Amino acid sequence: MEIKTASNRMYALIVLYDMHTTYFYNALAGISEEDATDRLNTKANHIAWIAGSLVQERYEIANLFGAELQSSGHELFKDHQGSKLMQPIHLWLFIKKTGRQLRLS
């Protein structure tokens, strides 16, 4: 899909956003479900939650570009909420599915 923008700066932002889609997925590749949901004996959010939050932010950015999309995990992550109770494996599968699909071009 060819992107047409009114400015070169906007074109560059869209290209970088789409490149991030691939980088994001590659950064998560190879992380086991067990490791993705390990809080490392702290109260910190686990990798799966942080990745899900990033997916939510990507939807927010896409909407700024006019995409009018909402992730299936919107209720979990809206308003920058912290971790809620959710089966970690379901969260990890959601991220692996939606994190790869969100492209603008």
Side-chain angles (χ1 to χ4, degrees):
M1 173 183 193
E2 188 174 327
I3 304 169
K4 301 219 185 246
T5 63
S7 93
N8 288 338
R9 287 181 177 174
M10 182 57 72
Y11 176 80
L13 287 174
I14 291 173
V15 169
L16 288 171
Y17 178 91
D18 284 346
M19 285 173 47
H20 180 266
T21 301
T22 301
Y23 297 151
F24 178 78
Y25 185 77
N26 288 346
L28 298 176
I31 298 175
S32 71
E33 294 163 3
E34 181 180 348
D35 288 341
T37 57
D38 185 358
R39 291 179 179 243
L40 305 173
N41 298 319
T42 70
K43 292 182 179 181
N45 289 328
H46 48 65
I47 292 171
W49 187 264
I50 293 168
S53 182
L54 287 171
V55 169
Q56 176 66 20
E57 293 306 318
R58 290 174 52 74
Y59 272 87
E60 297 293 335
I61 292 169
N63 288 333
L64 290 174
F65 287 130
E68 298 184 29
L69 300 169
Q70 188 174 63
S71 79
S72 59
H74 177 76
E75 289 301 314
L76 291 170
F77 300 103
K78 71 180 182 182
D79 303 323
H80 310 286
Q81 300 177 88
S83 182
K84 290 184 173 181
L85 294 176
M86 179 182 185
Q87 292 294 328
I89 185 63
H90 294 137
L91 178 63
W92 189 238
L93 294 174
F94 156 77
I95 293 162
K96 288 208 164 215
K97 177 182 174 192
T98 59
R100 189 170 217 178
Q101 295 172 345
L102 191 56
R103 297 184 67 88
L104 293 174
S105 60

